[in-house]
Amino acid sequence: MTAIFLACAGALAQGEVVGEIVVKGLTNISETTVLSTMRTKVGQIYQETQLAKDKSSLEALGVFQDVKVFGQLLEDKKWRVVVEVVEWPVIQSIDVSGNTVFDDAKILDTF
C-alpha cells in the first residue's frame, strides 16, 4: 500500500509547474549556456524524466566533472529545479623548465 501511495504522490507532483531554475557551482561557464542546454524551462510542467535528460545533456558538454539536477517542491506548489555542477579545472599556464633537448615553443605548441 505504501508503494502505491508513493507512486501516486510522484504522479501528482509531475503535474506541477517549474517556478524557477537555480544553477550553482559555475565559475567559467555561463548560466546562459547551462539553461540553453536544458529542455526544462520555467513555466513548463515539472517532469523527472526530462531532468534526467537535462543532466545527460549537460554532461555531454564535457565541461563538468559532476552534474546534479533535482527538483524541490516549494510552498506555492511550484517546483524549483536545482542544477549543481562542478567544472573541470582550467589550465591557466604551462611553464617549461629544465628542458635542454627541445625548443620550449615546440613543447608549448603541443598543448
Side-chain angles (χ1 to χ4, degrees):
M1 183 163 166
T2 303
I4 294 171
F5 173 75
L6 290 175
C8 290
L12 290 174
Q14 295 288 320
E16 303 294 340
V17 174
V18 175
E20 64 181 284
I21 300 174
V22 178
V23 183
K24 300 178 180 180
L26 296 175
T27 53
N28 297 302
I29 306 301
S30 72
E31 185 172 318
T32 303
T33 299
V34 171
L35 295 176
S36 65
T37 301
M38 297 174 60
R39 294 198 55 190
T40 300
K41 307 290 183 204
V42 172
Q44 291 181 337
I45 300 298
Y46 176 82
Q47 298 177 342
E48 288 280 339
T49 55
Q50 186 56 54
L51 294 186
K53 292 176 185 176
D54 289 336
K55 180 180 188 285
S56 294
S57 295
L58 291 168
E59 290 171 335
L61 290 175
V63 295
F64 301 117
Q65 288 183 44
D66 189 33
V67 177
K68 292 181 180 124
V69 182
F70 57 92
Q72 298 174 328
L73 185 59
L74 303 174
E75 290 181 15
D76 63 359
K77 302 295 183 197
K78 291 185 180 179
W79 283 88
R80 171 186 296 136
V81 173
V82 180
V83 180
E84 294 178 352
V85 296
V86 177
E87 294 180 22
W88 287 105
V90 175
I91 298 172
Q92 298 293 330
S93 67
I94 298 174
D95 294 322
V96 178
S97 63
N99 172 45
T100 58
V101 178
F102 299 101
D103 179 42
D104 289 353
K106 192 171 232 177
I107 292 172
L108 294 174
D109 285 342
T110 303
F111 296 100

